[in-house]
Amino acid sequence: MSLASAEVVLHAAGRCEDGYGGWAAVLTCGSHQREMSGSGNGTGVTPHRMALTAVVEGLTALTRPSRVRICVADETLHEKRAQRRPPDEPDLWQRLRPLLAQHHVDWTEPDAWVEEGPCDLAAELAFHQHRGEAVRAGAQGEDDTLDVAVARFLAERWDDMHAFEAADDVISTLRFSIGWYGDTPFTEMAPAEIVDELGPFFSSTLPHKQHASPDELRTARRVVTDLLNRLVANGHVDADAARDRLEDIDITVDERACLKEFVDAFGDDDLVPWPDRSHIEDSVDCQYLTITEVADTSLTFKDDDGYDEDACPVVGPVSVRPEIATRARTGWRILLSAVKVRGQWELVEVVSGDP
């Protein structure tokens, strides 16, 4: 076949969350550029399917056989090609195969341009548009349920994409938390029932199941505060109950954020690898220990789980940087691993913790 002389670069990207997806493709040939995007929803929508859709649509838009360099950040797609495994999106692969035969194609990982370029932005905008349509449709419901109240809360934020996505991410995690800990499905809950579900959300789901960063914890607090205030204003939640819960949330988030900053402060240089067994005098492997003493450059821990106060095994003092010591608080329970070699305790791993 006769190929066009200039190489065409196809950047492809896909995004998906909660069954709503967006895809985008940018075709570049010399000084010419064409952008395309679209969206999809349903149980079969995945980031992989959206990225693959972008590749298919981009190649379909070419009007003649060409040399094409496809840049797509989709590990699943690259693995499928390398392993020649049966495709998991047969309808798209059925469209893709003749396109690959028509063009001379090279596959590469995307360069830095695509990370901040129009391709990812178009995919994000397509996702945002499609998700917004679904939220606005849910907000039209007449049922006096938490599901409808939350849809209305989100719909009010849709015009500000960043505010909407921040709130949507928090609500998505809250749905997961209620499904995990709650007795009533989110879709069947009355708005007032949310107050009792926020304790496990902030104390367990965010720090332990979602491994939320301090900024993510504070964002969740802000979104939940706005949501509760809206529910109070619309007569769904008792004002005193909401105020009491928000006071608890403030305390929990402040504690969790400080503890997370302490854990995150440990870098590779602050930890040691597991030594040879013959050198280990004592050790703890992934246990919760309580910080009992904080000095300028050291910490001491006790294993107080099931022991009398005077019989608790002691780990430490462990040398730490002053920047870490200043973040520590006595009474915190830290999940860690440590070894004692030549009479000195050293940290191997600091995983997480509880106030």
Side-chain angles (χ1 to χ4, degrees):
M1 61 182 174
S2 176
L3 298 176
S5 57
E7 180 187 60
V8 177
V9 180
L10 167 58
H11 282 99
R15 180 178 174 185
C16 180
E17 189 173 319
D18 295 335
Y20 297 90
W23 62 266
V26 178
L27 289 166
T28 305
C29 184
S31 60
H32 301 285
Q33 190 172 96
R34 179 179 175 184
E35 301 175 14
M36 294 161 285
S37 64
S39 59
N41 72 310
T43 56
V45 172
T46 63
H48 169 56
R49 182 174 178 83
M50 291 292 94
L52 188 55
T53 299
V55 171
V56 170
E57 296 297 339
L59 291 176
T60 301
L62 296 175
T63 58
R64 59 175 296 183
S66 305
R67 290 182 291 110
V68 186
R69 178 160 57 91
I70 300 176
C71 302
V72 55
D74 183 77
E75 294 182 3
T76 302
L77 180 55
H78 287 290
E79 289 172 0
K80 296 289 184 184
R81 292 189 310 100
Q83 299 170 5
R84 301 189 181 276
R85 293 165 54 190
D88 51 6
E89 304 289 351
D91 59 323
L92 291 176
W93 278 94
Q94 187 174 0
R95 293 178 59 192
L96 180 59
R97 288 194 186 95
L99 294 170
L100 295 178
Q102 181 181 357
H103 304 285
H104 180 78
V105 173
D106 289 321
W107 298 79
T108 65
E109 295 286 344
D111 53 33
W113 174 85
V114 76
E115 294 178 1
E116 300 178 356
C119 190
D120 276 356
L121 178 59
E124 185 174 356
L125 289 172
F127 163 82
H128 177 68
Q129 176 69 33
H130 207 76
R131 177 70 179 129
E133 292 172 358
V135 166
R136 290 197 296 273
Q140 302 304 313
E142 296 181 359
D143 294 337
D144 193 19
T145 64
L146 178 62
D147 205 29
V148 173
V150 164
R152 291 171 181 163
F153 170 77
L154 291 174
E156 292 173 353
R157 283 151 180 76
W158 187 81
D159 288 337
D160 183 337
M161 186 172 72
H162 295 295
F164 174 85
E165 291 200 356
D168 198 26
D169 285 345
V170 172
I171 297 301
S172 175
T173 307
L174 179 59
R175 287 178 180 271
F176 164 79
S177 180
I178 290 174
W180 187 274
Y181 292 106
D183 296 326
T184 305
F186 191 94
T187 54
E188 299 176 12
M189 291 180 65
E193 293 181 77
I194 191 176
V195 175
D196 293 332
E197 302 296 339
L198 293 175
F201 175 64
F202 280 98
S203 64
S204 297
T205 302
L206 287 176
H208 292 308
K209 289 184 169 57
Q210 298 296 318
H211 304 289
S213 68
D215 284 345
E216 289 169 336
L217 287 167
R218 294 174 181 123
T219 296
R221 173 173 59 186
R222 184 177 68 250
V223 170
V224 167
T225 298
D226 291 344
L227 174 60
L228 281 182
N229 286 334
R230 188 190 191 284
L231 294 176
V232 169
N234 285 276
H236 293 306
V237 172
D238 178 74
D240 290 337
R243 184 180 61 252
D244 291 344
R245 177 57 69 193
L246 288 174
E247 290 176 356
D248 292 340
I249 289 172
D250 282 342
I251 295 171
T252 300
V253 169
D254 288 342
E255 289 178 337
R256 292 286 179 181
C258 290
L259 197 155
K260 180 65 173 172
E261 288 168 345
F262 166 76
V263 171
D264 290 346
F266 286 88
D268 292 340
D269 292 341
D270 300 305
L271 307 171
V272 300
W274 282 100
D276 185 271
R277 288 182 177 276
S278 62
H279 298 151
I280 297 176
E281 299 169 13
D282 200 354
S283 67
V284 293
D285 187 5
C286 216
Q287 286 182 234
Y288 273 101
L289 302 180
T290 301
I291 300 176
T292 55
E293 295 181 26
V294 178
D296 291 341
T297 58
S298 68
L299 302 174
T300 301
F301 303 84
K302 279 189 177 182
D303 181 3
D304 56 4
D305 189 10
Y307 292 93
D308 293 333
E309 177 64 27
D310 296 335
C312 295
V314 176
V315 172
V318 178
S319 296
V320 296
R321 288 180 290 115
E323 295 86 351
I324 292 177
T326 56
R327 295 180 182 274
R329 296 182 185 175
T330 57
W332 279 354
R333 285 172 52 80
I334 306 300
L335 183 61
L336 59 82
S337 299
V339 292
K340 185 178 183 181
V341 178
R342 301 189 189 91
Q344 176 64 47
W345 280 99
E346 294 183 283
L347 294 170
V348 175
E349 184 180 29
V350 179
V351 182
S352 64
D354 282 313

